[in-house]
Amino acid sequence: YAFAALLLIGTSVNVYAIVTMRRVPIRRYTLDGIRYLQDMNPDDAALISWLNEHVVGTPTILEAHGDGYREYTRISMHTGLPTVMGWEHHARQRGLTHESAIDRKKAIQSIYTSDDLEATKKLLLENGVDFIVVGNIERATYRRLQNSKFEEHPELFTRVTSFGNSTLYVTYFSRYNQAYR
C-alpha cells in the first residue's frame, strides 16, 4: 500500500507541475511554431520573416552556438538555412566528429569576439559563412562581441537589414553579397 500511495502522490505532483508550470510568459495554444518567438523576441522574428521572404537558395548563416533545446540556432530552425554549428548532439549524430565540433564552436566564438580581422576573414572563408546574425542572443552569449567590427569594416561585412536589436550582415565573399550592396 505504501508503494502504491507513493506512486499515486508522485504522479499527481508531476501532473500538477506540468499543467501549472509557466515555461513562457503567455501561453498560447497554436500550431504556429514561430509564435513564441514573436512574443519573446520580436526583432529575431522579424529578421526570420525577412530571410524567408527575401533570400533564395541556401546560404550558410552564422549565429550563436549553445546548448541544444534552448534559444540557440533559432534563425536556422525557422528558415531552414544551414548554420555553421547547430545543436551539437544532433550534428554529432549526423557524423560530425568531436574535434570538428570543438573547432566549429571556437570558430564561431572567434568570429564574434576577435578583433583580428585577418583571423576572422580566414574563419569566415573556412566555414563558408554567407550571413552573420547579431542579435540579443549573440550579445548575451559572446559578452566580448565585437559589434563595431561588423559596422566599421564594409570591405568584409555589409549590413543587409536590421530589426531593433537584430542585424543581418552579408560577408564580402558571399555570392549573395552583390544582391545586398
Side-chain angles (χ1 to χ4, degrees):
Y1 293 109
F3 178 74
L6 287 173
L7 187 64
L8 184 61
I9 290 169
T11 302
S12 300
V13 168
N14 281 319
V15 168
Y16 175 78
I18 288 171
V19 170
T20 61
M21 187 164 93
R22 294 188 58 167
R23 292 185 183 101
V24 293
I26 300 169
R27 185 177 286 192
R28 290 194 172 94
Y29 297 98
T30 178
L31 294 177
D32 182 358
I34 199 169
R35 181 66 200 174
Y36 82 96
L37 194 57
Q38 292 166 342
D39 293 336
M40 302 294 288
N41 192 337
D43 298 341
D44 279 354
L47 183 68
I48 288 165
S49 179
W50 188 92
L51 281 164
N52 284 330
E53 291 174 22
H54 294 92
V55 174
V56 177
T58 54
T60 299
I61 60 170
L62 182 73
E63 59 184 320
H65 171 269
D67 296 334
Y69 302 100
R70 302 282 310 250
E71 65 274 13
Y72 302 101
T73 68
R74 76 252 182 237
I75 308 296
S76 180
M77 282 188 290
H78 292 293
T79 62
L81 298 176
T83 186
V84 174
M85 181 69 180
W87 291 346
E88 183 177 356
H89 179 71
H90 290 185
R92 302 262 321 271
Q93 283 180 318
R94 290 171 180 83
L96 185 70
T97 66
H98 178 71
E99 293 77 21
S100 294
I102 290 171
D103 290 344
R104 287 186 189 188
K105 289 188 287 188
K106 286 179 181 177
I108 294 168
Q109 181 174 4
S110 182
I111 291 168
Y112 279 115
T113 62
S114 173
D115 56 359
D116 183 344
L117 291 177
E118 285 304 313
T120 299
K121 182 178 174 180
K122 181 178 181 234
L123 291 169
L124 290 169
L125 285 166
E126 286 175 0
N127 290 283
V129 176
D130 292 295
F131 291 102
I132 299 172
V133 175
V134 177
N136 290 332
I137 293 171
E138 285 72 26
R139 287 182 190 88
T141 303
Y142 307 110
R143 301 218 186 273
R144 293 182 31 235
L145 186 128
Q146 296 293 324
N147 197 47
S148 62
K149 169 172 63 176
F150 302 113
E151 289 294 328
E152 295 172 1
H153 293 282
E155 72 279 8
L156 293 178
F157 312 101
T158 301
R159 181 195 287 237
V160 176
T161 189
S162 288
F163 298 94
N165 288 326
S166 296
T167 302
L168 182 70
Y169 299 92
V170 65
T171 59
Y172 74 99
F173 63 85
S174 171
R175 65 187 169 110
Y176 295 89
N177 193 332
Q178 294 307 313
Y180 301 106
R181 282 208 177 254

